[in-house]
């Protein structure tokens, strides 16, 4: 009984927060409603026993994507009046994309009802571990059968991150306040500091 009540509670809150995400006039409020929708979706994942997906929703979507959206909306000076003015200009393109997506959805549903694709006979190598949780089973697959692919994906993400940093890095034109590491390493330690004995009332010579 408690599980059924929790399911309907999470589902109702997720649908309501999803609708408020779309219809909220304030973009900051829209992002906050989106975060609430993610939390309720994570609750539904916990109810069906997919605790790893629930953790991904909270850590990745709420902790990274939604918070990034929130910071972007709050920090950027977005002229929403100008965006609304260009709505009718881009309306035909939006309608065309919506029609394409609807056609793909109808085609996908029709293909699913026609019959599933034969993916071959499982060899039992990906059989779940008896008595273990979903996280442990997923970890055994990622760090066992798919270790090379998992590490390759990590290398690709690392290269993408380094590439983004290199592309967005800008050299300073002014040398004021610029750190010259080679010059600092070439300094003589004995000349790095200088002891002086200033006279009373004369101050310090710069």
């Amino acid at each position: 009984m408690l599980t059924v009540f929790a399911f309907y509670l999470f589902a109702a809150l997720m649908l309501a927060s999803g609708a408020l995400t779309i219809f909220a006039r304030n973009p900051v409020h829209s992002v906050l409603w989106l975060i609430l929708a993610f939390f309720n979706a994570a609750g539904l994942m916990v109810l069906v026993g997919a605790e790893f997906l629930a953790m991904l929703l909270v850590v990745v979507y709420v902790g990274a994507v939604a918070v990034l959206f929130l910071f972007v909306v709050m920090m950027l000076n977005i002229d929403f009046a100008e965006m609304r003015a260009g709505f009718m200009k881009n309306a035909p393109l939006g309608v065309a994309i919506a029609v394409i997506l609807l056609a793909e959805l109808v085609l996908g549903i029709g293909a699913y009802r026609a019959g599933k694709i034969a993916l071959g006979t499982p060899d039992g190598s990906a059989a779940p571990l008896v008595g273990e949780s979903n996280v442990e089973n997923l970890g055994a697959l990622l760090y066992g059968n798919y270790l090379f692919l998992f590490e390759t994906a990590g290398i690709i993400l690392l290269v993408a991150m380094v590439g983004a940093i290199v592309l967005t890095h800008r050299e300073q034109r002014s040398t004021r306040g610029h750190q010259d590491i080679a010059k600092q390493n070439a300094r003589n330690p004995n000349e790095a500091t200088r002891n002086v004995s200033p006279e009373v009332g004369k101050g310090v010579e710069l």
Side-chain angles (χ1 to χ4, degrees):
M1 183 63 183
L2 181 61
T3 305
V4 176
F5 173 76
F7 170 78
Y8 283 110
L9 176 63
F10 289 147
L13 290 176
M14 187 182 68
L15 292 176
S17 56
L20 291 172
T21 301
I22 299 173
F23 294 107
R25 293 182 178 271
N26 192 326
V28 178
H29 295 168
S30 180
V31 176
L32 293 176
W33 286 118
L34 180 63
I35 293 175
L36 181 61
F38 285 151
F39 270 113
N40 287 280
L44 291 175
M45 294 298 176
V46 172
L47 290 179
V48 297
E51 62 273 7
F52 182 77
L53 292 179
M55 181 184 66
L56 284 183
L57 278 173
V58 174
V59 175
V60 177
Y61 286 92
V62 177
V65 178
V67 175
L68 177 62
F69 287 165
L70 183 61
F71 275 98
V72 169
V73 169
M74 293 177 63
M75 296 178 67
L76 292 182
N77 187 15
I78 303 175
D79 190 357
F80 291 98
E82 183 179 354
M83 293 178 59
R84 294 190 186 96
F87 175 77
M88 295 304 300
K89 179 180 178 181
N90 299 321
L93 178 61
V95 172
I97 294 176
V99 171
I100 293 173
L101 293 177
L102 180 61
E104 291 180 348
L105 182 61
V106 173
L107 179 62
I109 295 176
Y112 176 78
R113 291 182 177 179
K116 297 182 180 179
I117 300 176
L119 299 177
T121 304
D123 56 358
S125 60
L129 303 176
V130 179
E132 304 294 345
S133 63
N134 291 333
V135 178
E136 292 173 335
N137 280 281
L138 186 60
L141 284 176
L142 287 179
Y143 297 105
N145 299 343
Y146 303 102
L147 178 61
F148 177 75
L149 297 177
F150 185 75
E151 292 181 348
T152 303
I155 293 175
I156 293 174
L157 291 176
L158 177 61
V159 172
M161 181 182 67
V162 174
I165 295 174
V166 171
L167 291 175
T168 56
H169 180 68
R170 295 292 182 270
E171 293 290 342
Q172 295 182 357
R173 295 182 178 179
S174 176
T175 57
R176 182 179 180 183
H178 183 70
Q179 184 180 11
D180 191 348
I181 300 178
K183 183 178 179 181
Q184 292 177 354
N185 292 332
R187 290 181 65 185
N188 188 354
N190 297 326
E191 298 176 356
T193 59
R194 182 166 59 95
N195 296 326
V196 297
S197 300
E199 298 180 6
V200 178
K202 293 295 184 64
V204 180
E205 179 183 357
L206 298 177

